[in-house]
Amino acid sequence: IAAVVRSEMAKAPSKPLLVYVGAAWCEPCTRFHQAAAAGELDTTFSGLRLLEFDFDRDHEALAKAGYTSKLIPLFAIPKADGTASGMAISGGIKGEGAVSELVPRLSKLLGRYPR
């Protein structure tokens, strides 16, 4: 996972990259994914890149790189070596407000992104 994250960071080092861990069974994850895919978050998070991993498929590899959480979705800022920095948010609410609840939390997390 760390090597994949490093590679993605190298592609556009001036644009923020968040590691995003979700799952098909996670309602907040699904709602966020749909909003992102539909372009609904493009204005709010212009330039943001998400590197998506599936919790069920990638759990062990994510844990080795430090991307762990008791809740998903997980959005984490990576360190330069591709491992987790410890700056992250996790969890979300179910229902129609899932995305609107995540947006301000993501904005706050991005404010901590290393410049």
Side-chain angles (χ1 to χ4, degrees):
I1 296 291
V4 172
V5 174
R6 275 194 315 273
S7 174
E8 193 62 31
M9 289 171 66
K11 290 178 184 177
S14 64
K15 293 185 177 183
L17 174 76
L18 289 182
V19 171
Y20 164 56
V21 181
W25 49 264
C26 167
E27 185 180 338
C29 303
T30 303
R31 287 182 181 269
F32 182 84
H33 184 83
Q34 290 170 345
E40 295 172 18
L41 304 172
D42 290 353
T43 302
T44 305
F45 298 115
S46 66
L48 173 64
R49 296 175 302 136
L50 294 173
L51 182 56
E52 184 175 355
F53 294 97
D54 181 90
F55 176 82
D56 294 319
R57 182 189 64 227
D58 304 316
H59 180 72
E60 288 183 32
L62 287 162
K64 287 180 184 177
Y67 296 101
T68 60
S69 174
K70 292 181 181 182
L71 302 171
I72 57 173
L74 170 68
F75 298 90
I77 296 174
K79 293 191 296 190
D81 68 359
T83 61
S85 69
M87 293 182 281
I89 63 166
S90 63
I93 64 169
K94 293 181 180 181
E96 290 182 24
V99 174
S100 61
E101 188 268 340
L102 283 169
V103 166
R105 295 172 55 215
L106 276 173
S107 294
K108 186 175 179 179
L109 176 64
L110 288 169
R112 298 176 63 196
Y113 205 91
R115 307 269 181 234

